[in-house]
Amino acid sequence: MNGTELLSKVRKIEIKAKGLSNNLFAGQYHSAFKGRGMAFAEVRDYQYGDDVRDIDWNVTARFHRPYVKVFEEERELTVMLLVDVSGSLNFGTRVETKAEMAAEIASTLAFSAIQNNDKIGVIFFSDRIEKYIPPQKGRKHILYIIHEMLSFEPESKKTDIGVALEFLGKTQKRRCTAFLMSDFYDRKDFEKPLQICHSRHDVVGIRIYDQLMENMPDVGILRVHDAETGYEQYIDTSYKPLRMGHNKYWREHSERVRQVFQRNSVDYVSVATNGNYVTALQQLFAMRA
């Protein structure tokens, strides 16, 4: 797309994402993603029913009457978006491509984050780290992220999710919330890096897929192209065993991905490019509340 079309697309995504974060997700996001813990705020007079363990004995001794410590949630978070930019994300047969869906979801999460005074950063990855945008706050920063998500051209078309998870661990020393967005077509096993990363950070998986991959239609001879390897071939989709084999592979792949997240107690949602990602995010927030 040219510069004018890109700016128009950025603006449309901003309006939609900002509206969703304002009207639907503001409270849910806050409840679903907690701060780093409780931080001391002040002391006040002891009141009947207060926990005696909260008594500040130094202040109590100084003023000869009981005082208790008051704590508040240390709210500020760092939110990292780990976005798969490999070749397979450019696929889409319905409303939009998987990459465009990822951009909308990421934008909605980003606006929800800044409404809660959280920082937001991005890691674009293929089978390498393509681009790292350090966490910052503010609308200008988010618009830059959206622009990059729509226009960024990766050097590689392949996928290595483990590389992104390991990079997150190296760059984020303090605990953060990380949204891992991909179709999870990775020829390598990313379970061990996920396990290590989730032990230090709060990782959330968001799988984006195209409905055509779930059920191959009978449309006769079809030329198929592997976006990550460049391999092309013609297939006859009228051949029922071929369609059944493809659908079986898709179901098995989906189940393997789901089990990886389940075994490691990582929250996970899946959304189709022609589906409603708003509902998927609401389900995600509800399961964490």
Side-chain angles (χ1 to χ4, degrees), residues 17-61:
K18 200 170 183 178
L20 288 172
S21 61
N22 285 337
N23 300 322
L24 290 177
F25 298 138
Q28 289 176 301
Y29 173 91
H30 183 95
S31 299
F33 301 99
K34 308 296 184 183
R36 289 190 293 266
M38 303 304 289
F40 172 73
E42 60 182 353
V43 295
R44 61 164 171 79
D45 287 314
Y46 176 87
Q47 298 174 3
Y48 178 76
D50 285 338
D51 192 330
V52 295
R53 291 173 296 183
D54 291 335
I55 292 176
D56 188 320
W57 294 106
N58 290 330
V59 178
T60 296

Side-chain angles (χ1 to χ4, degrees), residues 56-68:
D56 188 320
W57 294 106
N58 290 330
V59 178
T60 296
R62 190 179 311 142
F63 292 99
H64 306 292
R65 64 176 188 270
Y67 282 83
V68 293

